[in-house]
Amino acid sequence: MVKTDELPAPKGEAAVFNLKTYLAEQKQLVEEALERSLPLAYPEKIYEAMRYSLLAGGKRLRPILCLSTCTLMGGTVAMAMPTACALEMIHTMSLIHDDLPAMDNDDYRRGKLTNHKVYGEDVAILAGDGLLAYAFEYVATETKNVPPQRIVQVVARLGRAVSAAGLVGGQVVDLECEGNSEVSLDTLNYIHTHKTGALLETCVVSGAILAGAESSDLEKLSRYAQNIGLAFQIVDDILDITATQEQLGKTAGKDLVAKKATYPSLWGLESSKVQAKQLIEAANAELADYGKKAEPLRAIANFIMNRDR
Ligand code: GRG
């Protein structure tokens, strides 16, 4: 049964009904697929730790973006679901590692104790590693009715997104900038286009590749994704200031305490909102050629702007 009340209520009247229903249905499909993707096995401890974080909820935006783009480009949900699950495994791995004491050191994530708080740092590191490796295995072994050359392209994209050219690179620069409130806009953009944007772009582009999209479509969709990726992070920085721990499911107000450079610290809250809105408009402009079919991607972009967690 779809529990729509578990989703954050988007603001804006027109968006409420359709978007909420769409996201709730897609989320439910993803939750069921994730539950099936990782059965408990021996050694139970590591599978439990992996499942603890993978099945802890979250908005499931990354898999939903992958599924929505695949269907927009003429593919099916079934073609994209293994990749959608893999993207969530990779995202979850990055959250587990990000929360470790050696990284961002957080006690709460998705409204629950972080993985290392429950299983210890050693098992949490391994749970992240296990999810990362399994993501690649899962795409390669579970993707059906898709030409192998498209699957290889998706695997390559996933690898790049998590590599030093993606998440890892963004995280390293973020760590280097710790305690430095003089970080330039270029550096801040580098951190977030890599830490947050690279995986979001891979979600969108992978869905399109699986459906056999033309390179002109891939280019438009990449630009859509880059714009929503940056907007997502700006909103994340705003919510760190304006939302509560209950809303976010993780510690709020951390950026201010750590004197971290953020978009609001560079631009102020109001200008940050304006910038995020402009990025969402630019993202939606990339979808102009697809008419009504692109409604889910437009709605997701608007949701990213208006989310409250
Ligand atoms: C070990 C290969 C490897 C990489 C790890 C730790 C790390 C390198 C990178 C950090 C990446 C990171 C945590 C970026 C933040 C992205 C972000 C804004 C997460 C929050 O995403 P939401 O709001 O969360 O979609 P939910 O819980 O809804 O899924």
Side-chain angles (χ1 to χ4, degrees), residues 241-263:
I241 299 169
T242 60
T244 62
Q245 171 159 344
E246 289 66 39
Q247 258 172 289
L248 297 178
K250 62 179 180 180
T251 314
K254 278 191 83 172
D255 296 340
L256 277 177
V257 172
K259 295 196 173 64
K260 209 171 165 178
T262 63
Y263 290 103

Side-chain angles (χ1 to χ4, degrees), residues 71 85 93 121 136 166 169 186 190-191 195 220 237 258 274 278 301:
T71 49
C85 290
M93 168 281 297
E121 278 182 56
F136 287 89
D186 278 352
Y190 180 92
I191 292 170
K195 258 186 88 166
K220 279 181 217 146
D237 287 356
V274 170
Q278 284 170 357

Side-chain angles (χ1 to χ4, degrees), residues 50-88:
M50 289 160 74
R51 283 173 59 87
Y52 173 80
S53 292
L54 185 66
L55 305 177
K59 295 179 285 296
R60 308 307 195 191
L61 262 185
R62 290 156 190 80
I64 293 174
L65 274 170
C66 177
L67 300 177
S68 302
T69 312
C70 184
T71 49
L72 170 66
M73 290 290 112
T76 63
V77 165
M79 287 162 79
M81 191 56 94
T83 300
C85 290
L87 286 158
E88 190 64 28

Side-chain angles (χ1 to χ4, degrees), residues 33-143:
L34 286 173
E35 171 62 46
R36 284 192 303 272
S37 72
L38 187 61
L40 208 54
Y42 178 81
E44 282 85 0
K45 186 170 190 172
I46 189 66
Y47 283 94
E48 271 170 23
M50 289 160 74
R51 283 173 59 87
Y52 173 80
S53 292
L54 185 66
L55 305 177
K59 295 179 285 296
R60 308 307 195 191
L61 262 185
R62 290 156 190 80
I64 293 174
L65 274 170
C66 177
L67 300 177
S68 302
T69 312
C70 184
T71 49
L72 170 66
M73 290 290 112
T76 63
V77 165
M79 287 162 79
M81 191 56 94
T83 300
C85 290
L87 286 158
E88 190 64 28
M89 290 171 198
I90 291 170
H91 171 55
T92 303
M93 168 281 297
S94 78
L95 300 179
I96 295 172
H97 282 193
D98 193 52
D99 290 335
L100 288 167
M103 302 269 180
D104 213 27
N105 191 17
D106 216 320
D107 292 353
Y108 291 95
R109 173 70 70 175
R110 292 173 164 172
K112 297 171 73 172
L113 283 172
T114 42
N115 199 290
H116 66 273
K117 282 277 157 192
V118 178
Y119 297 98
E121 278 182 56
D122 46 3
V123 173
I125 291 168
L126 292 169
D129 296 344
L131 283 168
L132 180 58
Y134 189 51
F136 287 89
E137 178 187 344
Y138 201 69
V139 172
T141 59
E142 296 301 318
T143 308

